[in-house]
Amino acid sequence: MSYAAASVSHPQRGRGTDVVVPATLGRPIAVRENRMARQVSRQIAHGYAAFAACPAARVYLGSPHCSRVVGKGVRMAQVTVPPVGDLVSGLPLPPTQRVAHHDQIVDAEIPRSRSNRWLRPAADMTASGVALVVATTGGATVQPAALVALVVAWPMFLAGNGWFVRRPLGEPVGVRIGRVLRAGAGLGIACWLAAVVVGDAAAPEVLVPVVAALTLAVLVTGLAPVPGLSPTRVVLAGHPDDVRSAIAELATSRRYVVAAACVSAVPDAPLGTLPVQVGVSYAADVTDRTNSDALLVLPGQGVTHATMRRLQWRADGAGVPLYIGTGLLDVAPTRVSVVQGAGMDVMQVRAAPQRGPRRAVKDVVERLLAAGALVLLSPVLLAVWLMVRRGSAGPGLFRQERVGRNGETFTMLKFRTMTSTAAEEQAELAELNQVDGGVIFKIRNDPRITPIGGFLRRYSVDEVPQLWNVVTGQMSLVGPRPALPQEVERYDLDPRRRLAVKPGITGLWQVSGRSDLSWAESVRLDVKYVDNWSLMLDVSILCRTVGAVLNHRGAY
């Protein structure tokens, strides 16, 4: 990139001021250290040519290296021109945000968000008040002084455990539960200690149940979604390619809205209608001026360690929550920890256990649950089998070869929901496949499905015989979708990760949309499950399965 060097003559002193004007803001320019340099820099900041106001300016083409721009003997200082916002920090801010599209600076309106962050604390305190009333009117007699002390102390204990701290991008559910439990435990211990000082006025057998009610109330409201909360406004900072990927990722959730972006280089193409400013170093200022909730920095090309550290200082000074992108995909926070080694801050990613005591517990518990369910549901299963046999020609159970853990094949059982000639008819329906990628075959209104089969699929009853596969150890209650051998033959690297564990009757793919998901989405969910497996994740999926079955989404 070439630079234009201008020698500007002062109208009174007649002495030249050498300036190098870059084609793109945010790059170094060279100026002689005098008062005229600041004036010219301000003109650059407003988008005017530095020499437009100086008729006597002599313009030359300069080298990209500032030290070679002007003749020898001229003392120069290298100045890194920040984005437009900082150069005019001493001037009144323009009414609209400065936005860069390619090499042009244009204006774009940025709407101000309406903050309703008070809804969450208000919901917590309202639930606490209701719990306090219920607990005290349900038989517990609490002294007025002790009641006032509880009303004052409970929010203080919650605040002391960081419950009311604003975390725009959220935090793991387990961490939130831990904060409430620690607050409740602390208040309970305080009640025991108060009994020693004030005696019967703070009887532990009366106050501790009240504290338990308060804790339960905040747990319920704290984990439940609060209606009316506005989405989190995020400003992205990083290389244009990284910003573009982050925009696409955040667009999949209604919780986040990208308000603006600060890029380390001029993007090759506009980032849609998103306001963009060239220069990462001043992303904290952009976050503050756009009234956004968080700043997300994406380390990469053009974002150095020094830039990150200085940006952290700016964010801290502006009161802007700062988040750093890790580059990791679908990694649970519980698997990640930051450690220091040789003066470097590094992030350790722990692998999900593929064997060991927790896996043994999962296997034993699932087999026992499956065996018990088969015994309890045996009359219902027999009735369904008879309905399938009488509904259409063919067997009541459908046996199909599937691929299990480590590529081992097994025979999976299902209630038959299609005609007995469904396999032969699939070739004729191949062009109607509604799943992108062509790896799996799904049609929303498949003509091969029998009338009773449609009902069984709608309520996932056809999957119940797979409990026998769980009892025999071929499948799990929770796991990735069991794949056909011809599907596995078409797998590339990522989908093969699904074969690291046993397939399951239900899983993230089922509770997230089932057949409505694209091939890429189903693979990503299954790989996410494999990489982040835990017993609590299995329990969560089993609970969500009930809602997914009743909702019928993707059940066809």
Side-chain angles (χ1 to χ4, degrees), residues 6 46 54 72 97 100 106 119 131 140-141 216 246 258 266 272 334 347 350 359 398 402 451 470 477 492 500 507:
H46 285 285
C54 304
K72 60 181 180 180
Q97 171 71 25
V106 298
L119 286 176
T141 303
L216 180 61
V258 180
V266 177
T334 54
M347 185 173 294
R350 292 177 294 275
R359 281 289 181 181
F398 175 69
R402 296 292 178 111
V470 176
L477 286 181
D492 54 17

Side-chain angles (χ1 to χ4, degrees), residues 362 365-367 369-370 467 470 475-479 503-507 542:
K362 170 183 169 69
V365 171
E366 286 187 337
R367 291 194 186 198
L369 291 176
L467 291 171
V470 176
M475 292 181 62
S476 297
L477 286 181
V478 183
I505 299 178
T506 184
L542 287 174

Side-chain angles (χ1 to χ4, degrees), residues 44 102 109 114 164 168 180 231 247 329 366 372 425 440 470 490 510 519-520 554:
I44 296 173
H102 298 279
E109 295 287 347
R114 297 179 180 178
F164 298 119
V180 180
I247 292 173
L329 183 63
E366 286 187 337
E425 296 173 359
I440 59 177
V470 176
R490 306 183 63 177
Q510 186 173 31
W519 167 244

Side-chain angles (χ1 to χ4, degrees), residues 466-483:
Q466 295 171 29
L467 291 171
W468 177 251
N469 295 114
V470 176
V471 173
T472 58
Q474 299 167 331
M475 292 181 62
S476 297
L477 286 181
V478 183
R481 172 187 171 275

